Amino acid sequence: MRKRLLIFILVLIACLSQTLAQSHIQNLNNEWSFCSAGSEAWKPATVPGCIHTDLLKNGMIPDPLKANNEQEVEWVEQSDWTYRTFFSPDAKLMTYQNIYLFFEGVDTYADIYLNGVKLQHCDNMFRSWTIPCKSLLHYGENSLEVHFFSATRMAKTLYQKLATSLPYDERVMVRKAPYQFGWDWGPKQVTMGIWKNVSIVGWNTLQMQNVAFKQLHLDSASADLQFNTQLNSTYEGKLSLELWNDGTLVNSKEFAVSKGQSLLSLPYHLEKPERWWPNGMGNPHLYNFEIKCRIGSKVIDSVALRTGLRTIELVQTNDDAGQSFLFRVNGIPLFIKGSNIIPPDIFPSRISDQNYAVLVNTAKQSNMNMLRIWGGGFYLHDKFFDLCDESGIMIWQDFMFACAMYPGDSGFLSNVKEEVSQQIIRLRNHASLALWCGNNEIDEGWNNWGMQKQFGYSATDSVRIANDYQQLFLKLIPEVLHTLDPERPYHPSSPLNGWGRKESMTHGDSHYWGIWWGDEAFEVYNKKVPRFMSEYGFQGFPDSVTIEAFGISGDSIWNSPALKNHEKHPRGFELISHAMQRNYKEPTDFWEYARLSQTLQADAMRIAIEAQRRAKPYCMGTLYWQLNDCWPVISWSTSDYYGRWKPAQYLVKQLYQPCILSFVQKNDSLALYGISDSLSSIDATLNILVSSNLGKILWSQSTQIRLPASSSMVLTTLSLKKLQSSYDSTSTFIYASISNSEKIIASNKYFFCRPGNYKQPLARIYIKENPMIGNRRNFILSTDIPVFNLWIDCNKDELLFNENYLDLMPWANRSIFSTSITSPSAALNLHYLNQPR
């Protein structure tokens, strides 16, 4: 009896001392196990994780990313699985008035049990789940179980209940990452599991929730800000709210609050604010704010908020040509240079902070200022957005809907409303978040892909499905945004006009896929220039080391099932070969073919990006498809699954420089454009020459130019007819550069013939290596004759160069450096355009 009384007194003392304490969080990620539903064969599990990675770690399945193992593990997604852990709550936790389980992410259909009692049914991978549990929690060991149900089976069951089937399959029924059901660049791995953190949280008195700030006014002289927080309180009385800026108290206000929920606001006037600028425009300055809630002298709760001050507008105005689509940042029209990204892994729980860092660093080093998060994946982690904030990389954020029509019943819409609300609240304070977009290609698909004819819809069916679309993307999501994030622009669907319609080149953003799906020549990019190009691209093979990671056996590589399984596009090899035959001589050796496909991909990127940048301000953005991969594969990516840069990635870095040169043929003339994104004018020397393939300069001229700020202009025009009659078209080329007193700012070349027909003699390329600085290897490159598209690799040793896939002229040495990843002494291999064998 005395022992029980002592425990009661200790608990009472702890309760009294915790009355005004901040919340307490106990991590529950450790010591999980799993088994097949109904089994007792428990195996160790990792949380965060998923069933496929747990089975792989326990040696129960082969690696799904290798060979044809993708098909070998299909049984996993058809099964149900159970996860469990046993934990003892902290003694401190048990003293709190309010205790809840917090699951940041559950994939996807699952029932959660605490001590044998079902607390929650989950049905959305994109939501977090906050579950009150104090009444069921006890001292000592507690059991926590999560029973997962096959998302594939659930999707089919829900799909069969529809009065009319929806295009294209049952994946639309489940709020789960669509890409895991298979895509034309990714495997089918419909997994399940606890894919984000799990914790148990206790709190007393009050909690600050959903903290947000608004920019009421911002210019170079001052900023007026408002910080809002939703208060969840069991306390009634007076409290004070404080705002701290970089450790300094800048405002405080007293409030009288009642029990329950209330919304509190705190203003802040800031003189001479430092603004956040995108990469290439200035410093992405971030402020470190903190909001503290006090009762008396004690801090009850606090929330840190790191963000930047800037204005971002999406300008869509009618003009003589159609309708603009441009971003204005801090009042300045900005040409967007970037890419689309997909999830960095087919298994989201495997994506580390380092993976996100590699992705963002690749974008920053490649002179990008925007990434589009495609709507067929999942909402990326906070760390990714933090890195984008710090690096000045703006984010175009799709909601997670892609390429199909979705249900419109009340249950589905209610689920989606909670999903988008949570994601908007989570992401809205990030300076990098520039745009919300409702979906990927659904409006285009419904109106241009023949869905209604293909599925035989009646007029009544078509009206109902279209109404469901409008209810979701033109009503529900905009209404939630108006409430939770009204200042940020919203674009209902990307694009609104398909690439087969003329309006796609004159109105809004465009996805132009004629070069790939339409099997058109790369030069068509010069004609198909929209107001904003938000998708386009061409495939290229990855690095040879990545290809070997496919799990290719000793069979002929071309006939290897593993190779075929790692090209997901049904016409991929065919379309690459067609482009190769148009531009080069198709090699018979596999590895030469793979390298030449990389050159093709780079060629396509060069023509497209130059055409789009030349057309500014008519065209004000280019986001190619795609930056990255979710597994080792042949795809449109410029940086593969392991982060290895393809030649196209190095070329994109060159093409996205602030200033570039671009040749374009116009009838019998050859125009040389200078394109600048600089905010100030550029005074430079333009040098242009005709050279033989042996490096003999046949003609040259030099002039002084001024390139205005943020401009695209013709610097000079040459008579192509005269040049072609004067020089051999297969053994000469034009080379142009602009330079100031310090360096060459930009350069480019022009062949009179197809690249594959240019006669390239064997070159002597010299590499002088200077002493290392840290882990940096420093090289001086020189050559006896001109070489183009010079590619440097190191076999299985990996070097990331500051420059690669470059043109090397005999009259100008090049200094480059690399960061050694695996070996400071790796030998260099050299490849260049039409290299004699």
Side-chain angles (χ1 to χ4, degrees):
M1 182 67 184
R2 288 182 178 179
K3 185 176 180 181
R4 288 184 179 180
L5 179 62
L6 179 61
I7 291 174
F8 174 77
I9 293 171
L10 290 173
V11 170
L12 180 62
I13 292 171
C15 286
L16 292 173
S17 66
Q18 291 296 324
T19 300
L20 298 180
Q22 295 193 50
S23 61
H24 179 75
I25 302 174
Q26 181 177 341
N27 184 290
L28 296 184
N29 286 347
N30 300 322
E31 299 182 7
W32 285 81
S33 56
F34 78 99
C35 69
S36 178
S39 166
E40 288 296 323
W42 295 97
K43 298 288 184 180
T46 301
V47 171
C50 73
I51 186 59
H52 286 81
T53 54
D54 283 331
L55 289 168
L56 183 61
K57 287 177 183 177
N58 283 277
M60 300 169 71
I61 59 170
D63 188 341
L65 306 191
K66 290 186 178 293
N68 289 329
N69 297 340
E70 175 187 356
Q71 288 78 36
E72 297 296 320
V73 300
E74 282 187 357
W75 62 272
V76 175
E77 71 185 57
Q78 302 293 340
S79 306
D80 297 338
W81 302 87
T82 300
Y83 278 69
R84 77 176 182 188
T85 188
F86 298 97
F87 69 96
S88 296
D90 296 344
K92 181 179 179 181
L93 176 74
M94 294 294 288
T95 66
Y96 279 77
Q97 299 168 356
N98 306 280
I99 304 176
Y100 62 85
L101 285 166
F102 183 53
F103 283 79
E104 289 186 33
V106 177
D107 178 16
T108 292
Y109 289 96
D111 290 338
I112 297 173
Y113 292 80
L114 178 62
N115 294 324
V117 178
K118 179 179 173 181
L119 292 183
Q120 181 71 56
H121 175 69
C122 303
D123 58 358
N124 191 324
M125 176 182 178
F126 307 128
R127 288 174 56 176
S128 60
W129 303 91
T130 301
I131 311 167
C133 64
K134 182 176 175 66
S135 62
L136 289 174
L137 205 62
H138 55 71
Y139 285 95
E141 187 176 81
N142 291 254
S143 67
L144 180 60
E145 289 192 4
V146 185
H147 298 182
F148 286 95
F149 310 103
S150 164
T152 302
R153 193 175 65 251
M154 291 293 292
K156 289 180 179 178
T157 300
L158 292 169
Y159 200 72
Q160 290 167 359
K161 292 180 180 179
L162 287 177
T164 304
S165 61
L166 290 171
Y168 278 97
D169 54 38
E170 58 268 13
R171 79 181 72 186
V172 301
M173 304 304 301
V174 298
R175 296 309 297 145
K176 174 176 174 57
Y179 80 115
Q180 292 186 330
F181 289 85
W183 223 268
D184 57 3
W185 38 257
K188 183 174 183 286
Q189 296 291 295
V190 187
T191 190
M192 64 195 83
I194 306 169
W195 74 288
K196 288 188 175 183
N197 294 320
V198 186
S199 58
I200 189 165
V201 181
W203 65 277
N204 288 328
T205 313
L206 58 83
Q207 269 191 324
M208 287 194 297
Q209 299 175 331
N210 305 341
V211 171
F213 89 107
K214 290 185 177 181
Q215 290 179 173
L216 305 179
H217 166 76
L218 175 66
D219 59 27
S220 58
S222 66
D224 288 303
L225 310 177
Q226 180 176 295
F227 292 80
N228 300 324
T229 180
Q230 181 179 307
L231 207 64
N232 194 15
S233 176
T234 59
Y235 164 80
E236 186 169 353
K238 292 184 178 181
L239 56 80
S240 62
L241 211 59
E242 298 176 349
L243 177 65
W244 295 71
N245 177 8
D246 286 325
T248 300
L249 178 64
V250 294
N251 197 11
S252 178
K253 187 177 179 180
E254 190 173 85
F255 298 87
V257 299
S258 302
K259 293 181 180 180
Q261 292 190 339
S262 54
L263 183 66
L264 307 183
S265 295
L266 198 60
Y268 178 38
H269 178 78
L270 177 64
E271 294 289 333
K272 296 181 179 180
E274 292 188 61
R275 282 184 279 188
W276 183 93
W277 292 96
N279 187 32
M281 288 188 80
N283 178 38
H285 180 80
L286 295 172
Y287 284 92
N288 295 296
F289 296 113
E290 187 176 13
I291 302 172
K292 296 180 181 181
C293 185
R294 291 183 188 271
I295 297 178
S297 62
K298 193 170 186 64
V299 175
I300 308 304
D301 201 2
S302 64
V303 175
L305 192 159
R306 191 170 189 232
T307 191
L309 309 182
R310 85 292 178 276
T311 59
I312 299 179
E313 307 162 79
L314 176 62
V315 181
Q316 295 176 282
T317 56
N318 294 329
D319 54 29
D320 292 341
Q323 187 182 70
S324 69
F325 192 100
L326 69 91
F327 289 88
R328 187 183 289 142
V329 182
N330 295 327
I332 300 173
L334 174 63
F335 190 93
I336 296 300
K337 296 176 291 193
S339 180
N340 290 261
I341 59 173
I342 63 172
D345 202 295
I346 192 65
F347 304 124
S349 59
R350 291 206 302 204
I351 304 169
S352 66
D353 288 352
Q354 179 59 26
N355 294 138
Y356 285 127
V358 168
L359 197 59
V360 176
N361 285 338
T362 295
K364 184 177 182 180
Q365 292 172 27
S366 300
N367 299 306
M368 296 183 184
N369 54 32
M370 178 177 280
L371 293 172
R372 175 183 176 232
I373 301 177
W374 170 75
F378 59 87
Y379 304 94
L380 300 183
H381 289 225
D382 294 335
K383 182 63 176 179
F384 172 80
F385 289 89
D386 291 340
L387 292 167
C388 289
D389 289 344
E390 295 165 6
S391 300
I393 304 298
M394 296 188 296
I395 297 300
W396 168 322
Q397 175 69 64
D398 283 4
F399 288 101
M400 293 301 116
F401 303 90
C403 302
M405 303 302 283
Y406 285 81
D409 60 276
S410 59
F412 184 85
L413 293 178
S414 175
N415 197 354
V416 168
K417 183 176 182 179
E418 180 62 26
E419 167 196 324
V420 300
S421 297
Q422 288 186 10
Q423 295 300 336
I424 292 166
I425 290 169
R426 182 174 71 92
L427 299 176
R428 65 186 173 183
N429 293 323
H430 285 281
S432 56
L433 183 59
L435 175 72
W436 293 105
C437 181
N439 65 72
N440 173 77
E441 295 186 343
I442 298 181
D443 188 283
E444 174 185 354
W446 180 247
N447 290 296
N448 299 324
W449 293 355
M451 290 180 179
Q452 298 169 62
K453 182 178 179 180
Q454 179 182 348
F455 290 88
Y457 293 138
S458 66
T460 301
D461 291 336
S462 294
V463 168
R464 180 183 57 79
I465 294 170
N467 285 341
D468 287 346
Y469 173 91
Q470 294 173 8
Q471 181 72 17
L472 178 54
F473 298 109
L474 301 182
K475 188 175 187 297
L476 186 152
I477 292 177
E479 287 177 354
V480 176
L481 282 168
H482 180 73
T483 301
L484 298 176
D485 195 20
E487 284 80 24
R488 194 167 272 110
Y490 172 68
H491 184 42
S493 184
S494 177
L496 290 177
N497 296 292
W499 59 268
R501 300 173 62 191
K502 65 177 184 179
E503 291 85 0
S504 69
M505 296 294 115
T506 59
H507 291 70
D509 71 313
S510 176
H511 295 188
Y512 190 72
W513 284 107
I515 304 302
W516 178 260
W517 283 93
D519 200 9
E520 296 173 340
F522 295 164
E523 288 76 14
V524 173
Y525 278 133
N526 289 318
K527 300 176 182 178
K528 298 294 186 179
V529 179
R531 309 306 297 269
F532 189 105
M533 187 76 94
S534 48
E535 268 195 35
Y536 65 97
F538 194 84
Q539 284 195 355
F541 279 57
D543 185 274
S544 60
V545 181
T546 300
I547 293 174
E548 290 172 359
F550 292 177
I552 294 172
S553 65
D555 301 333
S556 167
I557 297 177
W558 276 122
N559 295 324
S560 168
L563 179 70
K564 295 176 181 178
N565 191 49
H566 286 74
E567 166 58 273
K568 288 299 184 182
H569 193 278
R571 297 176 60 212
F573 293 124
E574 172 192 343
L575 294 171
I576 292 172
S577 292
H578 286 179
M580 204 173 282
Q581 291 158 11
R582 284 193 292 265
N583 295 279
Y584 297 94
K585 296 175 182 177
E586 187 174 0
T588 55
D589 176 79
F590 172 80
W591 296 108
E592 285 295 324
Y593 183 97
R595 273 194 291 269
L596 189 54
S597 79
Q598 296 175 339
T599 297
L600 272 177
Q601 182 185 35
D603 287 349
M605 299 299 291
R606 182 192 298 279
I607 294 172
I609 292 173
E610 286 186 9
Q612 291 152 29
R613 291 193 66 182
R614 278 197 312 267
K616 71 181 292 188
Y618 177 86
C619 176
M620 284 299 288
T622 176
L623 299 172
Y624 68 85
W625 186 270
Q626 68 209 59
L627 182 63
N628 64 316
D629 283 323
C630 68
W631 72 316
V633 66
I634 301 164
S635 80
W636 295 267
S637 74
T638 51
S639 175
D640 73 23
Y641 174 66
Y642 300 102
R644 300 183 179 112
W645 285 27
K646 299 179 184 179
Q649 189 69 60
Y650 284 100
L651 182 63
V652 164
K653 180 179 179 179
Q654 300 169 32
L655 293 168
Y656 281 172
Q657 291 180 124
C659 182
I660 64 169
L661 296 177
S662 175
F663 287 101
V664 62
Q665 181 180 345
K666 295 183 178 181
N667 299 320
D668 291 333
S669 296
L670 184 66
L672 176 63
Y673 279 74
I675 303 122
S676 174
D677 293 330
S678 174
L679 299 181
S680 57
S681 62
I682 296 173
D683 292 312
T685 301
L686 169 64
N687 294 297
I688 186 166
L689 59 86
V690 177
S691 172
S692 73
N693 57 359
L694 295 174
K696 182 179 179 180
I697 298 175
L698 306 174
W699 171 86
S700 67
Q701 71 174 24
S702 180
T703 55
Q704 298 301 307
I705 64 161
R706 167 165 286 187
L707 193 54
S710 189
S711 64
S712 172
M713 62 178 289
V714 176
L715 299 178
T716 188
T717 301
L718 304 174
S719 170
L720 192 58
K721 185 176 181 180
K722 182 178 179 180
L723 289 169
Q724 288 174 326
S725 64
S726 302
Y727 307 109
D728 177 52
S729 63
T730 61
S731 61
T732 55
F733 63 93
I734 303 175
Y735 183 79
S737 65
I738 56 173
S739 58
N740 57 25
S741 58
E742 298 176 357
K743 62 179 182 179
I744 294 177
I745 300 170
S747 63
N748 209 340
K749 80 271 191 178
Y750 178 84
F751 293 121
F752 294 104
C753 61
R754 290 278 183 188
N757 293 332
Y758 174 75
K759 295 177 181 177
Q760 173 66 56
L762 184 64
R764 292 188 180 91
I765 301 173
Y766 305 94
I767 304 177
K768 177 184 177 182
E769 183 163 1
N770 291 328
M772 290 184 68
I773 301 174
N775 69 337
R776 210 172 89 167
R777 296 180 67 184
N778 302 280
F779 306 94
I780 304 294
L781 305 179
S782 60
T783 180
D784 63 334
I785 63 172
V787 292
F788 302 96
N789 305 346
L790 178 62
W791 177 249
I792 308 168
D793 70 38
C794 308
N795 293 330
K796 290 180 174 59
D797 291 290
E798 297 185 23
L799 298 179
L800 180 63
F801 293 90
N802 70 315
E803 287 187 86
N804 205 341
Y805 200 69
L806 46 86
D807 299 333
L808 189 60
M809 299 296 127
W811 52 82
N813 295 346
R814 296 288 289 269
S815 297
I816 66 171
F817 64 84
S818 69
T819 301
S820 177
I821 299 175
T822 55
S823 171
S825 58
L828 305 181
N829 302 313
L830 306 178
H831 313 277
Y832 51 90
L833 180 69
N834 300 340
Q835 182 176 0
R837 300 298 175 189

